[in-house]
Amino acid sequence: MATKLREFDPVLVEVVERALAPYRGKLSPELIAHTREEALVQMSTHPYPAALLGSIQQRPPPDESHEIARGGAPGSREEAERGERRDTGRRRGRKG
């Protein structure tokens, strides 16, 4: 009985197929198909492998170039140009 596989991320399918490659011809086609389906479902739904998958997926290039505000950056362009220090955050050392 053939079941239709869900659509999975192509990167994930490629990783699973590479992992199963050494077992082709050594295990039955049914066992390979079952293992493929289980691996794809587990790796696409469990939080840890899903996060890893997100980190290896290629992201499209940005449509345009622009500046992005980053955390810890000066509050304004004027502060940055004047070189003003902000008194925020943690300081190291003991207080007096």
Side-chain angles (χ1 to χ4, degrees), residues 5-90:
L5 292 176
R6 293 182 0 199
E7 289 293 321
F8 293 100
D9 186 284
V11 173
L12 178 60
V13 172
E14 180 183 336
V15 169
V16 170
E17 291 299 328
R18 271 192 276 146
L20 290 174
Y23 301 100
R24 294 190 201 292
K26 296 178 183 174
L27 301 175
S28 69
E30 294 83 14
L31 185 55
I32 295 288
H34 174 75
T35 304
R36 177 188 307 110
E37 177 71 17
E38 286 295 314
L40 290 170
V41 168
Q42 291 296 322
M43 293 177 75
S44 63
T45 57
H46 192 276
Y48 183 72
L52 289 176
L53 177 63
S55 71
I56 65 171
Q57 289 175 326
Q58 290 184 345
R59 290 168 182 80
D63 292 335
E64 59 187 47
S65 178
H66 58 280
E67 291 183 18
I68 299 174
R70 304 271 184 209
S76 69
R77 182 177 296 243
E78 292 79 26
E79 285 180 20
E81 289 172 356
R82 289 190 306 258
E84 290 182 6
R85 241 181 86 182
R86 295 188 317 173
D87 291 330
T88 60
R90 300 167 75 188

